Amino acid sequence: MKKDKKQKAKMPFRLNLLFLAVFLLFSLLVVRLGVIQIVYGDDYVSELERTENVTVNTSVPRGKMYDRYGNVIVDNVPLNAITYTRYSGTTAKEMLDTAEELNKLIKIDTKRVTDQDKKDFWLLNHPEEALEMLSDKEKELKPKEQYKLQISRVKQEDIEKIIGEDLKILAIFREFNSGMSLTPQIVKNKGVTKEEYARVSEHLDTLPGVEITTDWNRTYAYDETLQTVLGKVSSSDEGLPADQIDYYLARDYKRNDRVGKSYLEKQYEDVLQGQKAKVKNITHKGKVVETEVISEGERGKDLILTIDMELQLAAEEILEKELLARKRGGANRYLDRAFVVLMDPNTGEVLTMAGKQYVVDKKTGKSSVKDFALGNISTSYTVGSSVKGATILTGYQAGAIYPGSYINDQRMKIKGTPDKGSYSSFGSINDLTALQKSSNVYMFKTAIGIGGGHYVYNQKTGMDSEKAFSIMRNSFASFGLGVRTGIDLPNETAGIKGAEIKMPGKAMDFAIGQYDTFTPMQLAQYVSTIANGGNRMKPHLVKEIHNPINDSKSLGPVYQQIQPNVLNRLDMKDEWIKRVQTGFRMVMQPGGTGYANFSKADFQPAGKTGTAQAFYDGPNRVKGTPPEDTMNLSLVGYAPYNNPEVAFAVVVPWAYQRHQDHSMNKEIGYQVMDKYFELKKERQKADAKASDKVKK
């Protein structure tokens, strides 16, 4: 009995202890709730009602490009566009719901949807089935590893069912999901109709993140003319180039920004890009409740190019006409390109940079002529005698010859080598006649003298060919030959240097332009250096940069003028340069190699012709066979000879083989120069008429 009483006494004690514990815990809970409500209540209410200010940058049109006379070359055409901005906290389900609503309002292209996109879409719409794909052990893996397994297990038959409206919704969702957070992503900017634009505009309140805006596309007033030089801009789909993402991100670009990918568009990206518009979006619970424009933005600055588009078009027409004429009847089978550069020798402004290439479609067999202006800086060739002005001046400088030196032009025989000579034996000639007649022997003996040697029939020259190469290449570089010209375009080639510098015969070949290769632009810089009296001018394609204005028909104020840039001054006496100028003038006079084509010129030309024996190594060379012999043609010059205002260079690679001789280089040179002075006269007359009207 006593034992039962003790047990009964213990029970109420335990219950009381339990009730006490519950009471204390409940009291703590009440106190905690009171603290939350009384002390932190306002903070939590504020958090629930908190709004965020999110600043978003939107792209603006790029700057335009004009020619030197104000003709538009590159412009922007506006496009209606629909964008989506993903804000922090936006879930995939919310994005999918918005995509479904937007699909009711627009038509969308589904071609870019991939199987990977379909698998992601299927997993998003079948979360329970996606979870069942994983074993209990696999469910313990990291989310990324689970995702990889789920993707690999989505059946082909399941994704093939994603068609019709589902496929369209997926296409929109794909665009939503491809954008960076807080960065507007283009959903559609091609073929957005006025009806679509209006419908979306009316339903923006039910389409969180969706906006209507204006995008742009580059347009080219002269079609393909100069397009290889003007460059390209990435599309909204491409965004930043993959190999330069870090470079642009460090400069506050976004991954889907459109940038210049090549040449002028890339070279002047900093000024063409413009200032982005800034919009502050005020969000509440992930939804935009208010939009405030911080800055309207400003389209990119405009470029005034040095190019004369009327002259450019004329030069291209001349090149195309001459190419097609020479290709008729299957002759000149390797001839497929021609180039011409016109430059102001006093400023380095490039007036014309024309290149044409004859191509045959391998599938259809149809031929066409395409723009290849870029070849003026990206391809190089042996150019022959047109460089002999540099050889003569180098000879003066090295003490191998002096103005008025006479040399006997007869075929040369150096012990152990085949004989070499000019196309004709001229007898005793001086430096001026050597340029006028294009004597090879005069240049050979000059090169031997530069290398410290001496010519005796059928004996070794005793020249130091490495010394000769070093002196001549260094000297040629001061004219712009064999080095980059510095033109304001990326990816310019310096040409190719021959390797066998220990052979005297190769140094002699170099002296007549038949060893190293040079670009047409290098030739233009070289002849400009001689024309202006010894200044190597940096060639440039941009003349001015202008601030943009709203008036599409006018130019804004000048932001920057590109000043002439002298890269170096020839370390040579003025009388030496004038001597070579005289020789160049004689080339275009009776007895000169250019006289037949330039005899009727009234613009007083001076210049130097060139023909180089070369090996064909172009696109039509048969693999595994030795390159065939071919001839390259070139021509450099300027006018008027006594006060040069325009210099030019013509290069026609692989012009003919064996006995198919022609003078395409000279015909191109004459026609282009004649056109330059014809346009000059027409403009002077037009200016005079305009001036008379103003006076009246």
Side-chain angles (χ1 to χ4, degrees):
M1 287 294 291
K2 288 181 179 180
K3 188 176 181 180
D4 290 338
K5 286 180 180 180
K6 287 180 179 180
Q7 288 179 344
K8 287 179 181 179
K10 288 179 180 179
M11 287 293 290
F13 176 76
R14 289 176 180 174
L15 284 171
N16 290 334
L17 188 62
L18 178 62
F19 288 146
L20 178 62
V22 171
F23 174 76
L24 291 173
L25 290 172
F26 186 75
S27 298
L28 287 173
L29 180 61
V30 171
V31 171
R32 181 59 181 164
L33 288 172
V35 170
I36 290 173
Q37 185 173 357
I38 297 169
V39 179
Y40 297 110
D42 291 340
D43 292 342
Y44 284 111
V45 170
S46 298
E47 181 65 22
L48 286 171
E49 296 178 351
R50 182 172 65 90
T51 60
E52 291 182 303
N53 296 332
V54 180
T55 301
V56 175
N57 294 333
T58 58
S59 65
V60 293
R62 291 175 75 79
K64 302 177 184 181
M65 297 186 198
Y66 299 80
D67 84 339
R68 66 188 298 111
Y69 295 109
N71 299 305
V72 176
I73 299 175
V74 184
D75 203 345
N76 304 300
V77 58
L79 301 172
N80 287 334
I82 298 166
T83 66
Y84 177 79
T85 303
R86 179 158 52 93
Y87 297 97
S88 57
T90 305
T91 66
K93 181 64 170 62
E94 290 171 334
M95 292 167 62
L96 185 59
D97 291 342
T98 303
E100 290 179 5
E101 291 301 314
L102 185 58
N103 181 55
K104 299 173 185 177
L105 307 174
I106 66 171
K107 291 182 179 180
I108 193 74
D109 189 353
T110 61
K111 292 179 182 178
R112 295 177 59 201
V113 175
T114 65
D115 282 353
Q116 178 72 26
D117 296 326
K118 291 180 180 180
K119 289 180 179 181
D120 285 329
F121 189 69
W122 189 91
L123 290 174
L124 180 62
N125 283 286
H126 300 82
E128 294 180 2
E129 294 175 57
L131 192 61
E132 291 175 1
M133 290 178 172
L134 303 173
S135 65
D136 291 340
K137 189 175 182 180
E138 290 170 342
K139 290 175 183 177
E140 297 175 3
L141 296 172
K142 294 179 179 180
K144 286 186 178 180
E145 295 174 352
Q146 291 182 22
Y147 169 75
K148 289 180 181 178
L149 292 172
Q150 290 171 320
I151 282 291
S152 66
R153 292 168 184 174
V154 176
K155 297 177 182 178
Q156 185 67 26
E157 60 190 54
D158 289 329
I159 67 174
E160 288 177 354
K161 295 177 183 177
I162 302 175
I163 56 175
E165 294 304 308
D166 285 342
L167 185 59
K168 295 175 184 177
I169 292 169
L170 169 55
I172 295 173
F173 177 78
R174 178 188 185 280
E175 298 304 324
F176 284 6
N177 209 35
S178 61
M180 299 292 293
S181 179
L182 307 180
T183 302
Q185 172 69 20
I186 297 240
V187 178
K188 182 177 180 181
N189 65 349
K190 294 179 181 177
V192 177
T193 65
K194 293 180 180 179
E195 291 76 15
E196 287 178 328
Y197 198 76
R199 285 197 297 267
V200 174
S201 176
E202 292 172 358
H203 292 81
L204 288 177
D205 56 335
T206 62
L207 298 168
V210 174
E211 291 291 342
I212 55 171
T213 185
T214 302
D215 196 22
W216 50 270
N217 255 352
R218 279 310 221 190
T219 58
Y220 302 90
Y222 298 91
D223 298 322
E224 290 190 0
T225 298
L226 274 179
Q227 274 213 24
T228 55
V229 171
L230 297 172
K232 294 183 178 180
V233 177
S234 63
S235 67
S236 54
D237 296 332
E238 293 173 300
L240 301 180
D243 59 343
Q244 293 180 293
I245 283 181
D246 292 340
Y247 171 85
Y248 284 112
L249 290 179
R251 286 156 178 79
D252 201 31
Y253 282 74
K254 304 300 181 184
R255 290 179 181 271
N256 64 344
D257 279 346
R258 303 174 65 181
V259 297
K261 295 197 299 183
S262 56
Y263 301 103
L264 277 179
E265 292 279 13
K266 181 178 180 180
Q267 184 76 17
Y268 289 92
E269 168 67 24
D270 289 347
V271 292
L272 287 170
Q273 179 68 14
Q275 298 295 321
K276 296 179 183 178
K278 290 187 177 182
V279 178
K280 182 169 71 175
N281 290 316
I282 301 173
T283 65
H284 176 59
K285 296 181 180 180
K287 295 183 179 179
V288 178
V289 295
E290 187 179 345
T291 298
E292 178 185 338
V293 177
I294 298 175
S295 65
E296 293 289 347
E298 184 179 70
R299 72 172 176 84
K301 294 177 174 60
D302 298 325
L303 303 184
I304 306 298
L305 305 189
T306 60
I307 296 291
D308 176 349
M309 281 304 293
E310 193 170 1
L311 182 61
Q312 175 78 24
L313 291 171
E316 291 187 358
E317 184 179 348
I318 291 165
L319 290 180
E320 184 168 344
K321 179 190 69 176
E322 291 296 328
L323 268 176
L324 292 175
R326 303 299 170 185
K327 295 297 290 185
R328 289 195 188 104
N332 309 302
R333 57 176 175 157
Y334 291 133
L335 169 63
D336 73 342
R337 62 195 66 185
F339 307 98
V340 60
V341 175
L342 273 75
M343 182 189 298
D344 184 330
N346 304 300
T347 65
E349 292 180 5
V350 178
L351 308 176
T352 292
M353 183 176 171
K356 286 292 183 178
Q357 185 174 18
Y358 179 91
V359 295
V360 178
D361 189 299
K362 292 183 179 179
K363 292 182 179 179
T364 65
K366 292 183 178 179
S367 62
S368 60
V369 179
K370 295 186 176 181
D371 174 66
F372 194 28
L374 187 62
N376 283 290
I377 66 163
S378 65
T379 61
S380 61
Y381 312 92
T382 52
V383 297
S385 301
S386 56
V387 303
K388 287 178 178 176
T391 302
I392 291 292
L393 284 165
T394 305
Y396 295 157
Q397 188 181 43
I401 57 173
Y402 55 87
S405 289
Y406 276 83
I407 289 177
N408 187 29
D409 185 330
Q410 298 289 338
R411 293 197 69 81
M412 298 172 64
K413 174 66 177 173
I414 298 172
K415 189 174 183 180
T417 65
D419 63 340
K420 300 166 77 79
S422 305
Y423 62 89
S424 179
S425 294
F426 299 114
S428 181
I429 58 174
N430 65 10
D431 47 343
L432 295 180
T433 307
L435 289 172
Q436 181 188 35
K437 302 290 187 182
S438 199
S439 166
N440 285 344
V441 171
Y442 200 99
M443 308 303 152
F444 292 155
K445 292 183 178 180
T446 298
I448 292 172
I450 291 171
H454 181 69
Y455 172 72
V456 176
Y457 184 81
N458 204 28
Q459 299 293 319
K460 291 185 177 181
T461 63
M463 71 179 292
D464 182 341
S465 60
E466 291 187 51
K467 175 185 176 183
F469 265 114
S470 177
I471 291 173
M472 287 192 291
R473 279 181 173 155
N474 286 336
S475 178
F476 274 42
S478 67
F479 292 89
L481 295 170
V483 293
R484 292 181 177 86
T485 65
I487 191 171
D488 50 346
L489 287 173
N491 304 326
E492 180 188 13
T493 183
I496 300 172
K497 290 179 170 59
E500 301 174 67
I501 61 173
K502 294 184 178 180
M503 299 178 65
K506 299 299 183 185
M508 294 162 67
D509 289 340
F510 179 90
I512 62 169
Q514 296 197 163
Y515 196 56
D516 287 3
T517 66
F518 308 118
T519 69
M521 188 60 69
Q522 288 174 352
L523 284 184
Q525 188 179 54
Y526 144 72
V527 75
S528 292
T529 305
I530 292 175
N532 67 36
N535 291 322
R536 181 164 78 102
M537 305 303 300
K538 180 179 180 179
H540 57 101
L541 287 165
V542 174
K543 183 180 178 69
E544 295 174 348
I545 302 173
H546 286 245
N547 284 312
I549 56 174
N550 292 329
D551 184 358
S552 61
K553 296 182 179 180
S554 302
L555 281 167
V558 175
Y559 171 77
Q560 181 184 355
Q561 285 187 324
I562 309 302
Q563 299 299 325
N565 187 350
V566 179
L567 297 177
N568 62 265
R569 170 79 188 170
L570 294 182
D571 185 20
M572 297 174 181
K573 295 179 180 179
D574 290 343
E575 55 263 36
W576 296 348
I577 299 171
K578 290 177 181 177
R579 181 80 176 175
V580 170
Q581 290 173 343
T582 300
F584 275 22
R585 174 61 179 148
M586 291 170 62
V587 169
M588 302 299 188
Q589 293 178 322
T593 55
Y595 179 69
N597 295 87
F598 284 83
S599 59
K600 56 185 177 181
D602 60 0
F603 46 81
Q604 299 177 312
K608 185 69 192 76
T609 60
T611 304
Q613 295 177 342
F615 295 105
Y616 177 73
D617 196 26
N620 296 322
R621 178 183 171 185
V622 179
K623 292 183 178 179
T625 62
E628 291 190 43
D629 292 345
T630 186
M631 303 297 285
N632 295 343
L633 297 177
S634 66
L635 174 67
V636 297
Y638 52 87
Y641 76 91
N642 57 348
N643 186 25
E645 63 180 73
V646 59
F648 70 94
V650 178
V651 178
V652 184
W654 315 316
Y656 59 87
Q657 294 74 46
R658 298 183 179 87
H659 302 295
Q660 299 170 340
D661 187 8
H662 59 77
S663 57
M664 182 174 164
N665 56 331
K666 302 170 193 174
E667 291 171 16
I668 291 171
Y670 170 75
Q671 291 178 63
V672 172
M673 288 291 282
D674 191 54
K675 188 65 178 180
Y676 169 86
F677 285 99
E678 176 189 322
L679 289 173
K680 179 183 177 181
K681 289 178 182 177
E682 290 176 1
R683 286 166 179 154
Q684 286 175 337
K685 288 180 181 178
D687 291 343
K689 285 183 179 179
S691 179
D692 289 341
K693 285 184 179 180
V694 172
K695 289 178 181 178
K696 290 178 181 179

